[in-house]
Amino acid sequence: MSLSLHQASVSLFTQILGGLSTVLQKAEAHAADKKIDPSVLLQSRLFPDMFALTRQVQIAADFAKGGAARLAGVDVPAYEDTEASFADLQARIAKTLAFIQSLPAADIEAGADRTIVLRPGTPNEKTLVGTSYLLNYTLPHFFFHTTTAYDILRHNGVEVGKKDFVGSF
């Protein structure tokens, strides 16, 4: 049995975004229990030159929706980056999950050999074939940002573990 592109993308994004949602729920509860202003956690970062938690979640969602959309050959939906609360971040994750799960698996599979151009017309333009785009570009970036979001919260004392990050499968 071979691994399908849909399993390696939409199924995986769904699992890990579900874990990220759980981690954010625990962070919100932690802030309430410890009487911490939620914005403290939302704006926390691991190092001054890194993005804050809110931006990490936004980017993770962007890689999931962008990756699935490009593989399926559809336009990537544009999201405003205006999230300012845990509820806003949960809504972004839910919107991302609804979008990627709406894409037909056959359309994702058809993207295996599709040419995908990133940053077209710029000096940073990069052309990849669908499978390489997913495995060598999208997934590493997706995991970097979901892991960093988890690490920011763990570093700030939120009681989360690997099972929370991995989510349900």
Side-chain angles (χ1 to χ4, degrees):
M1 180 175 144
S2 61
L3 178 68
S4 77
L5 213 54
H6 186 271
Q7 290 170 310
S9 62
V10 173
S11 297
L12 185 61
F13 295 146
T14 298
Q15 176 185 336
I16 300 302
L17 287 175
L20 183 57
S21 178
T22 298
V23 168
L24 292 173
Q25 288 170 359
K26 289 188 172 193
E28 186 173 26
H30 175 81
D33 290 347
K34 302 292 184 186
K35 311 261 189 282
I36 299 169
D37 180 347
S39 67
V40 171
L41 293 179
L42 293 165
Q43 293 308 309
S44 289
R45 54 189 78 223
L46 291 177
F47 197 76
D49 67 351
M50 293 180 75
F51 289 128
L53 173 68
T54 299
R55 189 71 184 125
Q56 299 291 347
V57 175
Q58 291 167 339
I59 295 171
D62 288 349
F63 272 101
K65 72 178 168 79
R70 289 183 184 97
L71 288 172
V74 301
D75 291 336
V76 179
Y79 293 174
E80 297 289 326
D81 293 329
T82 58
E83 291 81 12
S85 68
F86 283 108
D88 292 344
L89 292 176
Q90 293 288 7
R92 187 177 182 120
I93 290 171
K95 180 170 48 171
T96 301
L97 288 170
F99 171 71
I100 66 174
Q101 291 168 354
S102 75
L103 298 170
D107 292 356
I108 300 283
E109 298 307 326
D113 296 318
R114 180 175 285 118
T115 298
I116 296 171
V117 181
L118 301 172
R119 298 178 203 89
T122 71
N124 295 324
E125 182 174 296
K126 189 166 189 80
T127 302
L128 298 157
V129 175
T131 301
S132 292
Y133 165 71
L134 176 65
L135 298 176
N136 302 112
Y137 180 78
T138 303
L139 289 177
H141 286 279
F142 175 74
F143 277 113
F144 176 86
H145 292 286
T146 54
T147 301
T148 302
Y150 169 91
D151 290 345
I152 288 168
L153 293 171
R154 187 71 184 100
H155 176 75
N156 279 281
V158 178
E159 293 184 20
V160 290
K162 182 168 58 171
K163 287 171 74 175
D164 299 308
F165 176 86
V166 171
S168 299
F169 55 94

